[in-house]
Amino acid sequence: MKNIQAAIFDIGNVLLFFDYMKAAGRLMERNRLETLPDRARITAINYRLEIGEISTAEFLSLVRP
């Protein structure tokens, strides 16, 4: 019998719900922005990040105002 060395979980919207727009709203307040980012645009960019199509740096450059 083998010993388990590690267990890896994808928590965000797999095991636990994560509302990206709630986080965006808080960032909006903190950065004194007047409008929320477009949800569909952010979701599409986030998907590209999650499948490895873009890097974290590219993601940030695309979502920052």
Side-chain angles (χ1 to χ4, degrees):
M1 182 173 197
K2 294 182 180 182
N3 291 333
I4 296 173
Q5 298 293 319
I8 300 171
F9 297 96
D10 183 355
I11 294 176
N13 285 336
V14 175
L15 298 177
L16 301 173
F17 177 71
F18 181 82
D19 185 350
Y20 293 98
M21 294 312 288
K22 186 173 183 177
R26 289 184 179 170
L27 288 170
M28 181 186 81
E29 291 172 9
R30 173 169 256 175
N31 292 291
R32 297 185 179 106
L33 300 175
E34 294 186 19
T35 59
L36 280 171
D38 176 32
R39 183 179 186 145
R41 183 177 153 276
I42 298 294
T43 300
I45 295 168
N46 184 66
Y47 177 74
R48 292 176 63 201
L49 173 70
E50 289 184 353
I51 65 170
E53 187 176 297
I54 61 173
S55 68
T56 301
E58 290 170 305
F59 170 80
L60 293 173
S61 73
L62 291 169
V63 298
R64 286 185 175 146

